[in-house]
Amino acid sequence: MNKVYPSAAAALEGLTFDGMIVMAGGFGLCGIPENLIIALRDSGAKDLTAISNNAGVDDFGLGLLLQTRQIKKMVSSYVGENATFERQYLDGDLELEFNPQGTLAERIRTGGAGIPGFYTKTGVGTLIAEGKEHKDFNGETYIMETGLVSDLSLVKAWKADKEGNLIFRKTARNFNPMMATAGKTTIVEVEELVEIGELDPDQIHTPGIFVDRIVVGSFEKRIEQRTTREA
């Protein structure tokens, strides 16, 4: 089975549809699948539910899909860097499901592990807990959270072999490994592609069994908040 595709658009071919659930890796703009996001925008798929820690910025990352109003709902933990997001949400044009960041990570992890739900103390007594099942364990109250699964997971890795075994680099590891496991179909864009057997098995973060398609990309790697100081 050849998993390597010549472009992001080719890798998405036949997989996009209106109303689909999409996971996109990254934290801020670090480790985002920037080429696949552009290809998803160009596919024209609309009414998307996007599961991502944040929504990029106005003109980069998932912000591009907000500009074209292809996202109907965001499931996120932080959206503070995107004025387009703010405007659409306040105007009632965009649904938002806020999650504490650790809860979001665990919902994705459990979805990928085939676990339908779990209990957590995070959010008890807040708006997060409204409408959710409550249960006491050892005298403490917990709320039920459900696992998350996507129709399509878009992942960014540093290096892969042609079987789809993945290595992530430093902070760009973030949400990417767990989203790779939680997609019914997973596409990964990488900086470097090597032959099968060239990766040290002990260094592989995500096994190739979770990866369906691979594309080698070129990356802008934009910095979300550039902080400098005088010498």
Side-chain angles (χ1 to χ4, degrees):
M1 178 180 175
N2 179 28
K3 297 184 179 181
V4 182
Y5 284 71
S7 67
L12 281 175
E13 190 172 348
L15 298 178
T16 60
F17 56 90
D18 293 349
M20 71 187 304
I21 300 172
V22 179
M23 287 184 182
F27 187 101
L29 298 181
C30 178
I32 68 171
E34 54 192 80
N35 297 282
L36 289 168
I37 289 171
I38 292 171
L40 180 59
R41 178 198 64 185
D42 295 344
S43 77
K46 58 183 184 298
D47 295 328
L48 304 174
T49 294
I51 301 171
S52 181
N53 180 65
N54 52 282
V57 293
D58 287 301
D59 61 344
F60 197 61
L62 289 178
L64 296 173
L65 293 171
L66 290 171
Q67 283 186 340
T68 54
R69 296 183 177 270
Q70 288 170 262
I71 296 177
K72 177 183 70 174
K73 178 180 178 179
M74 285 290 308
V75 181
S76 301
S77 71
Y78 177 71
V79 295
E81 303 296 334
N82 195 310
T84 304
F85 187 112
E86 177 185 10
R87 183 170 58 253
Q88 290 183 13
Y89 174 68
L90 292 176
D91 288 345
D93 297 328
L94 180 67
E95 299 175 47
L96 172 61
E97 182 179 337
F98 256 139
N99 292 249
Q101 194 165 86
T103 299
L104 178 63
E106 184 65 1
R107 291 184 72 189
I108 297 166
R109 189 198 69 80
T110 55
I115 300 170
F118 61 94
Y119 289 97
T120 177
K121 289 177 65 176
T122 305
V124 172
T126 72
L127 291 174
I128 295 293
E130 290 187 0
K132 294 176 180 176
E133 178 187 341
H134 288 58
K135 191 168 183 176
D136 287 348
F137 295 91
N138 300 319
E140 298 282 351
T141 301
Y142 294 72
I143 57 173
M144 167 71 85
E145 294 283 1
T146 56
L148 293 171
V149 176
S150 66
D151 296 303
L152 180 64
S153 285
L154 307 180
V155 170
K156 163 64 168 48
W158 171 48
K159 188 181 291 189
D161 65 19
K162 293 182 178 179
E163 185 58 34
N165 296 303
L166 306 179
I167 296 176
F168 302 92
R169 188 171 186 273
K170 299 185 179 181
T171 309
R173 192 168 172 179
N174 51 60
F175 283 82
N176 282 296
M178 62 195 79
M179 287 185 172
T181 69
K184 295 177 183 177
T185 301
T186 294
I187 307 176
V188 58
E189 61 179 61
V190 301
E191 297 181 40
E192 185 177 345
L193 183 67
V194 301
E195 295 295 329
I196 296 171
E198 290 189 32
L199 299 181
D200 179 352
D202 286 337
Q203 300 304 313
I204 291 171
H205 298 131
T206 298
I209 190 67
F210 294 108
V211 174
D212 298 284
R213 299 182 180 186
I214 307 163
V215 62
V216 179
S218 58
F219 301 93
E220 181 178 342
K221 295 186 180 180
R222 191 181 302 187
I223 297 173
E224 186 174 7
Q225 291 285 358
R226 186 182 296 273
T227 303
T228 60
R229 62 181 175 84
E230 294 182 5

